[in-house]
Amino acid sequence: MTMIEISLPGGSAEGYVSGESGPGVLLIQDAIGLRPEIERIADRIASWGYVVLAPHVFWRDGRAADLAPTVDLRDPASRGAFFASGVGERIARLTPDVLRADGEVWLETLHGLPGVTGTAVGATGYCFGGRIALRLAAHRPDEVAAIGMFHTGGIVTEDADSPHTEVPRIRAAVLAGHADNDGSNTPEQIAAFDAALEAAGIDHRTAVYPDALHGYTMSDTAAYQEEAAERHFRELRELFDRALKK
């Protein structure tokens, strides 16, 4: 378990690394950022026999500690205030072109970590990080063999570059655990995403987790739901073991 510096055009980003040996896994943070909770999830995945890299995707906006919340996000009001403090603007600046460029660096860094075996990698993303995982799998289909997407909103939009339009370009197996109480991901959007996966013939499993809020995996927030979080770990491990440990 260590924090590394990742060199990028225009600066550098922190990256949390966990695991001694095994296939590589890219863990893409939620909108709150790289923090101890993300490190905890990385450690859990690494314990299954993987080497995990969790990059600080908001590196252009400041260091991870500078952007970290200073309030207790387990309080609903504080959580809401944090998300209203510029989080949306940071996400909006990560355009598809920016994500493709950064994603190439994340993958190159992951492949170069000590102990990483094989060339196929997995990616798991939380909140908007699920959209990044999907776009990265479409951009590098020969490398990304499995993606997890958890409480990911905005998968299907009316924009020409809606994330779901990337589906025909992926080869990865997909696991999507949707929250059933998520205003950013309606039943209609979930159905449209499922239809895109079916039409493209993608190996996939999607499910709506009952009584789950957006952010249900994150134990440092008011949205945490232990049952759904533990289910996500079980299903993600099955996906990675099946796709990456053939």
Side-chain angles (χ1 to χ4, degrees), residues 41 61 102 122 129 133 138:
I41 295 174
D61 296 287
D102 283 1

Side-chain angles (χ1 to χ4, degrees), residues 37-201:
E37 178 68 7
I38 299 299
E39 296 172 11
R40 180 188 70 83
I41 295 174
D43 293 345
R44 179 86 172 260
I45 296 171
S47 74
W48 306 335
Y50 296 94
V51 177
V52 183
L53 170 65
H56 173 45
V57 303
F58 293 138
W59 63 274
R60 292 175 180 84
D61 296 287
R63 303 289 287 178
D66 296 334
L67 302 179
T70 57
V71 295
D72 187 350
L73 299 181
R74 292 170 296 182
D75 171 58
S78 296
R79 179 175 179 268
F82 173 78
F83 276 96
S85 67
V87 172
E89 289 80 358
R90 287 200 287 269
I91 294 173
R93 286 191 283 272
L94 295 176
T95 64
D97 286 343
V98 168
L99 293 174
R100 280 190 286 270
D102 283 1
E104 290 185 355
V105 178
W106 307 145
L107 285 174
E108 180 182 354
T109 303
L110 178 61
H111 286 302
L113 292 175
V116 171
T117 60
T119 57
V121 303
T124 182
Y126 301 86
C127 179
F128 85 110
R131 301 198 300 268
I132 298 177
L134 180 63
R135 292 195 187 278
L136 187 57
H139 183 52
R140 302 291 284 266
D142 293 333
E143 294 175 62
V144 183
I147 59 174
M149 305 170 64
F150 300 100
H151 47 83
T152 299
I155 305 172
V156 176
T157 71
E158 296 181 356
D159 296 336
D161 63 351
S162 172
H164 81 288
T165 63
E166 304 268 25
V167 166
R169 291 183 283 277
I170 73 172
R171 298 178 188 170
V174 174
L175 168 64
H178 306 288
D180 73 344
N181 189 4
D182 188 344
S184 68
N185 194 25
T186 65
E188 293 76 17
Q189 289 170 309
I190 293 171
F193 184 55
D194 285 346
L197 293 167
E198 290 283 353

Side-chain angles (χ1 to χ4, degrees), residues 4-8 11-16 53-56 105-106 109:
I4 64 172
E5 287 292 325
I6 303 169
S7 179
L8 296 110
S12 68
E14 298 139 289
Y16 180 77
L53 170 65
H56 173 45
V105 178
W106 307 145
T109 303

